[in-house]
Amino acid sequence: MHQFQIEPIAHLTLGGYDISFTNSSLFMLLVLGAIWVFMAGGMKGAIVPGRWQAAVESVTGFINNMVSSSVGPEGKAYVPLVFSLFMFILVANFMGMMPFGIVPGVHGFTVTSHLTVTAILAIMSFGTVLVVGLWRHGFHFFALFVPHGTPWWLMWLIPAIELFSFLIRPFSLALRLFVAMTAGHVLMKVLAGFVINGLNAEAAWVGAVVSLPSFILMIGITLLELLVCAIQAYVFALLTSLYINDAVNLH
Amino acid sequence: MPQIAQILETYASQAFWLLIVFGLIYFVIGRGMLPKIEATVDARDRKIADDLVAAERAKAEALTMEGSSSADLMAARAAAQAEAAAAKAKAAKDAENRLAKADAEIGAKLAEAEGGIAKARATAMASIEAMASEAAADIVAKVSGAKVTAAQAATAVKTVMANG
């Protein structure tokens, strides 16, 4: 669990709040830098793109397609938000998978394995939906809780269920990402512990029986974890664009 | 679990730095760099579409040009054929005319020559008659001593000659 520990690097306070620069902040800046470098490499604007530019354009095109297919032509305005969320989560997830630990004294950190971070991201997503919905439709936005074709005798139940499912969205967004990243890292930690402890065991056969299978499993789990990193970022971005669709078009 | 154990002491720092970093990502990258990349993609798509349209137009143009050129070719061929036929017809007529003219000339010359021959024969005949009557008169005078007038001799010769 030490890998999730937040350690201050420089103590700072602002208005009575502790806003110390921590290892988490450091990794957020690393994520920002990585995204910036990635995007800057695709800014040449060549008509015939190079490899890097093609990679950047495929990512932006992917998000653009996702938003425009779930929101429609009006979704263009929300592409920057969804893209920022997607890139931040994706790169933060991958940054947490980087083997910084092989350098002695350096500890990796997964920004997205922290409930505070995922909650703020989810609140941004949910807040956008609320603001956009109320801005565009005013009070009519609450028609979202009464789906078309609801029978009158279910009017007491359906809106309550819809309201609940609407209000649960930020929590599900935040918890899904937080749990996926935390669980993945814990699992890898446990398997890595098996490998190390098996090798350190007094009986030599324990290494062969425990460490080797754990190591092989570890490789598979690591690949799976990389897949989860991408999928969680995709799910967060996709759900955000679907929620924005609710706000823009109702349903 | 440090995420929950530390939440009260770290939430302000986490939120503060996350808002700074995410704000930078949103405003600098999402709103600053992303539209430029999308503009590049749009420009490329538009250029491809434009080029396709231009190629389509050029193709249509080439097709119509090919059609018109083949029509031109056909017309030129027909004109040439007509001209050749006319020239042939004219040549044939010319040849006919010349032939007729030559024919006529030859006919005239022939007739003239025949006329000449007939005249010559007539004069020859006349001179033969005269000579024959003279000779006959001479012969009669030598044989019989009778004097025969030229007129008598001539009538006698004429009757003999008429009899063959």
Side-chain angles (χ1 to χ4, degrees):
Chain A
M1 291 294 157
H2 181 252
Q3 60 170 323
F4 300 117
Q5 195 84 34
I6 292 177
E7 278 147 11
I9 295 172
H11 286 284
L12 298 168
T13 49
L14 182 77
Y17 288 102
D18 174 23
I19 54 155
S20 301
F21 188 78
T22 60
N23 54 348
S24 173
S25 320
L26 176 67
F27 270 81
M28 287 179 199
L29 291 182
L30 277 179
V31 168
L32 170 65
I35 298 174
W36 189 83
V37 167
F38 176 69
M39 292 296 280
M43 293 285 285
K44 286 190 208 80
I47 283 294
V48 179
R51 289 181 193 194
W52 196 312
Q53 193 185 335
V56 175
E57 280 172 6
S58 67
V59 176
T60 61
F62 170 68
I63 296 298
N64 213 339
N65 276 345
M66 185 170 79
V67 175
S68 51
S69 65
S70 38
V71 186
E74 287 168 278
K76 204 89 185 119
Y78 307 102
V79 171
L81 176 72
V82 177
F83 181 78
S84 303
L85 283 170
F86 176 75
M87 285 307 272
F88 181 76
I89 294 169
L90 182 75
V91 177
N93 290 352
F94 280 144
M95 201 58 86
M97 292 293 292
M98 291 296 145
F100 292 111
I102 59 172
V103 181
V106 178
H107 296 288
F109 188 84
T110 314
V111 178
T112 41
S113 69
H114 272 257
L115 191 53
T116 324
V117 173
T118 60
I120 292 170
L121 293 175
I123 287 167
M124 281 181 199
S125 164
F126 187 70
T128 307
V129 170
L130 273 185
V131 169
V132 168
L134 288 172
W135 183 276
R136 286 178 66 101
H137 302 290
F139 189 71
H140 190 62
F141 177 58
F142 295 103
L144 191 63
F145 305 131
V146 187
H148 287 300
T150 310
W152 61 268
W153 48 271
L154 272 176
M155 272 310 212
W156 59 277
L157 182 60
I158 297 290
I161 293 174
E162 287 286 330
L163 178 65
F164 184 73
S165 82
F166 183 77
L167 292 180
I168 207 83
R169 282 172 181 181
F171 297 97
S172 68
L173 272 180
L175 283 173
R176 182 182 301 113
L177 181 57
F178 157 66
V179 166
M181 297 324 293
T182 303
H185 282 272
V186 168
L187 181 59
M188 290 200 295
K189 188 84 175 180
V190 168
L191 281 171
F194 282 170
V195 176
I196 305 298
N197 290 332
L199 287 176
N200 289 344
E202 279 178 38
W205 60 269
V206 178
V209 172
V210 175
S211 294
L212 190 63
S214 299
F215 186 71
I216 292 167
L217 188 59
M218 180 87 193
I219 294 171
I221 293 290
T222 305
L223 294 175
L224 184 70
E225 201 50 32
L226 286 172
L227 183 68
V228 168
C229 288
I231 287 176
Q232 287 301 323
Y234 171 68
V235 165
F236 200 102
L238 180 67
L239 286 175
T240 299
S241 56
L242 288 177
Y243 295 162
I244 288 173
N245 176 44
D246 278 353
V248 172
N249 301 319
L250 295 181
H251 63 186
Chain B
M1 199 177 253
Q3 290 101 313
I4 292 164
Q6 284 188 310
I7 202 160
L8 284 177
E9 21 180 320
T10 59
Y11 77 95
S13 143
Q14 292 274 65
F16 178 77
W17 289 102
L18 178 62
L19 288 177
I20 288 179
V21 167
F22 194 79
L24 284 173
I25 291 176
Y26 180 71
F27 286 107
V28 175
I29 293 171
R31 288 203 169 267
M33 297 164 101
L34 183 64
K36 284 178 194 153
I37 289 167
E38 283 178 345
T40 307
V41 175
D42 288 349
R44 179 182 312 124
D45 288 351
R46 202 162 43 241
K47 176 144 176 51
I48 288 170
D50 286 357
D51 286 0
L52 278 180
V53 168
E56 203 69 34
R57 201 182 303 131
K59 191 181 161 192
E61 218 162 89
L63 274 178
T64 57
M65 217 182 267
E66 194 188 302
S68 75
S69 78
S70 78
D72 276 3
L73 204 65
M74 294 253 269
R77 187 178 290 163
Q81 267 170 355
E83 214 160 286
K88 208 187 261 177
K90 197 174 160 222
K93 204 180 259 175
D94 265 12
E96 219 169 275
N97 281 350
R98 224 175 293 155
L99 208 64
K101 212 161 144 199
D103 244 11
E105 248 165 58
I106 288 165
K109 255 183 209 163
L110 214 60
E112 203 179 325
E114 266 171 5
I117 289 167
K119 213 186 271 172
R121 188 191 274 163
T123 46
M125 277 301 206
S127 60
I128 283 170
E129 254 179 42
M131 252 160 41
S133 58
E134 226 169 278
D138 279 353
I139 291 163
V140 167
K142 261 185 202 163
V143 170
S144 66
K147 267 253 201 194
V148 182
T149 63
Q152 279 174 322
T155 40
V157 165
K158 243 179 214 155
T159 49
V160 171
M161 279 185 72
N163 290 340

